[in-house]
Amino acid sequence: MKDKEKSTPNEPPASDDKISIDKSVFKVNKELRRKREEEQAKKEQEIAEKYAQQDKEKREAYEKQLQNERIELMRLKQGIVEESETIHEEKEEEVKLSFGKKIANFFYHSKWWLGLCVFFLGLGGFLVYDLLSKPNPDMVILMLCDNNPVGTSTFLEEYFTEFAEDSNGNGKVLVNVYYVPYGDDEYQNYINGVTTKITTFLNNADAVMVIGNKKTTDDLLPPEDSFVDLSSLYPDDPHVDGYFYYIKDTKFAEHIGVRPSDITDDMFFALRKPKDVMNDTKEKMQETYDKDFPVFDKIVKSLSSEEE
């Protein structure tokens, strides 16, 4: 019993020795891990420094090469040396291609130009087709004044076609009225492309009959220089005054399906004098005049013979 009591006090020191050993192992593992991390960091730093040094050496060598080539190039330009040992012209080795590959290579490198060519060829073909398929009018009339009810009337061209003949021999009778709404509003003139249209129409000989008003003669066509004197052709016609055949008090509005009030007091028919223009000759306009005058004459006599 006494022996047991003696052995009991010796047990706690054994437990303390175990705790001490565990703590020592943990500390050793921690120190080993820290040492490995330090060694790894040192290795990584050495590798980074090595690559940095190599990169620096390459950059310095490249810069030195460039500097040497600049110096050598200057010596060549100045004639100090005739041939350089450092600057050599590098010739690309010619790659031999088969015929099929040459064709494919050509299309690949020229695809944009070929695309543009195809586009413009297509556009040109469309324009030619449109020109050839477009009806060729027997007579062209210019309406150079701002009067939308008259200019857009469905029956305007139909009325004039009644007096025309098949002058071009295509088996059809067609009269085109080119309506250009030339008015006081300069912005609307610009939006409608009026200036361009007037310049185009007045500089060719396709039309001699004109529908206009006072603004037409004030701004575009001075009567003495531009029109034929109708008073000498129709001396007894009450609608004729000098160069103009006034249509206010005729049945023209009824024929084209507009209100009489749509015909203003200053609206007239007139004939352009044959003369040289920018795109055509006087002889060409004279041909148009000789062709269109009989139609104009029929229209004037028909309107003047009708009861008001």
Side-chain angles (χ1 to χ4, degrees):
M1 191 69 169
K2 289 181 181 180
D3 292 338
K4 290 181 180 181
E5 289 177 359
K6 288 180 181 180
S7 61
T8 302
N10 294 330
E11 291 179 359
S15 177
D16 290 342
D17 290 342
K18 184 179 181 180
I19 293 172
S20 177
I21 292 171
D22 291 341
K23 287 183 179 181
S24 178
V25 172
F26 175 77
K27 183 177 180 181
V28 169
N29 288 337
K30 183 177 180 181
E31 289 176 353
L32 290 173
R33 185 171 62 253
R34 185 181 63 205
K35 186 176 181 180
R36 286 196 300 269
E37 290 175 353
E38 288 176 353
E39 290 177 352
Q40 182 65 27
K42 185 178 180 180
K43 287 181 180 180
E44 292 177 356
Q45 184 178 358
E46 290 175 353
I47 293 172
E49 289 176 353
K50 180 180 178 182
Y51 280 113
Q53 182 64 27
Q54 291 176 352
D55 185 62
K56 180 181 178 182
E57 291 174 356
K58 289 180 181 179
R59 186 170 61 254
E60 289 176 350
Y62 179 68
E63 290 175 355
K64 185 177 181 180
Q65 180 185 353
L66 288 179
Q67 182 64 23
N68 291 336
E69 289 180 355
R70 292 192 194 102
I71 295 172
E72 195 71 9
L73 184 60
M74 291 178 64
R75 295 176 66 196
L76 286 171
K77 290 183 177 179
Q78 294 173 1
I80 298 174
V81 295
E82 295 182 357
E83 186 176 354
S84 174
E85 296 181 358
T86 58
I87 299 177
H88 303 283
E89 182 180 358
E90 295 183 1
K91 294 183 179 180
E92 294 184 3
E93 183 180 354
E94 184 179 356
V95 180
K96 293 183 179 181
L97 300 175
S98 65
F99 179 76
K101 288 185 177 181
K102 286 181 180 179
I103 297 296
N105 188 57
F106 170 77
F107 279 102
Y108 176 78
H109 290 287
S110 305
K111 55 189 174 183
W112 289 108
W113 292 109
L114 290 173
L116 289 174
C117 288
V118 170
F119 170 77
F120 284 112
L121 285 174
L123 179 62
F126 171 78
L127 293 176
V128 170
Y129 172 79
D130 184 64
L131 180 64
L132 294 176
S133 61
K134 191 174 182 178
N136 185 22
D138 298 285
M139 181 178 181
V140 175
I141 300 172
L142 301 179
M143 181 172 174
L144 307 178
C145 60
D146 187 13
N147 190 315
N148 198 59
V150 174
T152 59
S153 169
T154 307
F155 305 103
L156 182 63
E157 292 180 344
E158 183 179 319
Y159 171 72
F160 292 121
T161 301
E162 295 175 4
F163 300 94
E165 297 180 356
D166 181 18
S167 59
N168 57 25
N170 64 354
K172 299 179 181 179
V173 179
L174 177 65
V175 175
N176 281 352
V177 178
Y178 293 156
Y179 172 45
V180 183
Y182 179 67
D184 295 321
D185 191 333
E186 294 184 0
Y187 178 73
Q188 285 300 320
N189 288 340
Y190 173 77
I191 292 297
N192 294 324
V194 167
T195 302
T196 302
K197 292 177 182 177
I198 289 175
T199 302
T200 301
F201 293 146
L202 293 183
N203 280 292
N204 65 59
D206 293 338
V208 294
M209 181 173 173
V210 174
I211 304 173
N213 58 16
K214 188 174 184 300
K215 186 171 180 60
T216 307
T217 57
D218 288 346
D219 296 352
L220 304 176
L221 297 169
E224 296 81 1
D225 299 330
S226 306
F227 297 129
V228 174
D229 185 1
L230 297 182
S231 61
S232 62
L233 299 175
Y234 308 100
D236 300 324
D237 194 317
H239 300 287
V240 173
D241 184 5
Y243 302 93
F244 313 115
Y245 180 88
Y246 288 99
I247 57 178
K248 174 63 178 177
D249 296 322
T250 67
K251 290 189 177 181
F252 180 66
E254 181 181 334
H255 288 304
I256 66 172
V258 299
R259 298 170 302 176
S261 59
D262 291 327
I263 307 298
T264 59
D265 292 338
D266 59 347
M267 287 189 70
F268 60 77
F269 294 158
L271 286 171
R272 295 170 66 195
K273 286 181 181 179
K275 61 180 181 179
D276 291 328
V277 290
M278 185 178 296
N279 300 324
D280 281 314
T281 63
K282 180 179 179 180
E283 289 73 21
K284 175 66 176 177
M285 188 177 286
Q286 184 66 54
E287 292 178 8
T288 305
Y289 181 90
D290 294 340
K291 174 179 66 71
D292 291 353
F293 177 75
V295 181
F296 179 85
D297 185 60
K298 290 178 186 178
I299 295 169
V300 167
K301 289 178 178 178
S302 175
L303 289 173
S304 297
S305 66
E306 295 173 339
E307 294 182 2
E308 298 179 6

